[in-house]
Amino acid sequence: LNPVTRIPRTFKRFAGLMVQLLHKMKIKANGESTTLLKVIKNPFSQHLPAGTHCYGFSSQGELYSPISLAKALVPPSPEKCAVPICFVLGAMASGHITINDHPYIEKMLSISEHPLSGAAALSRIMGGIEHHWGIV
């Protein structure tokens, strides 16, 4: 994902963009050679920076509140982030991710005793990090 990429606001346009991505394997900017989105080959862990800490999320992981999770894993400010952090969420209709399926995951964590949608889980995680960093 190129940082200048603008994600469509409507689901219909977003779905069209994802269909185009899956058919062509990459999306380029209009009239330019800049690649905005590209499908990468597995394992995706080879595309992460060296030293990245990966944490998986499942309702069966070690339970944290979003704020205590941020305090335990995230540096006190974005400027002091020496080691990259990767959060792996399942975001699937049924089942969950496991360390056996994804050996690059260091630890399985949870932010709810109940299964959450991907959007709800990300919202809780990002809300905890925003609170930890004092972002209003």
Side-chain angles (χ1 to χ4, degrees), residues 10-107:
T10 65
F11 177 75
K12 186 175 181 178
R13 289 186 179 181
F14 177 78
L17 184 70
M18 292 300 111
V19 168
Q20 181 184 355
L21 176 64
L22 293 174
H23 282 290
K24 295 184 178 181
M25 304 303 279
K26 64 180 168 182
I27 295 176
K28 292 187 174 192
N30 285 338
E32 296 180 26
S33 62
T34 305
T35 301
L36 299 175
L37 296 169
K38 184 171 91 172
V39 176
I40 58 174
K41 294 182 180 181
N42 280 334
F44 96 95
S45 57
Q46 72 185 12
H47 299 281
L48 297 174
T52 300
H53 293 289
C54 288
Y55 300 99
F57 283 85
S58 171
S59 58
Q60 290 133 1
E62 184 179 339
L63 186 61
Y64 283 89
S65 74
I67 295 170
S68 64
L69 175 80
K71 287 180 181 176
L73 300 179
V74 179
S77 72
E79 294 82 25
K80 295 181 181 177
C81 190
V83 178
I85 299 171
C86 174
F87 295 134
V88 180
L89 287 83
M92 48 204 160
S94 62
H96 57 276
I97 59 172
T98 64
I99 291 179
N100 296 336
D101 295 335
H102 306 282
Y104 50 86
I105 294 175
E106 296 176 22
K107 188 176 180 181

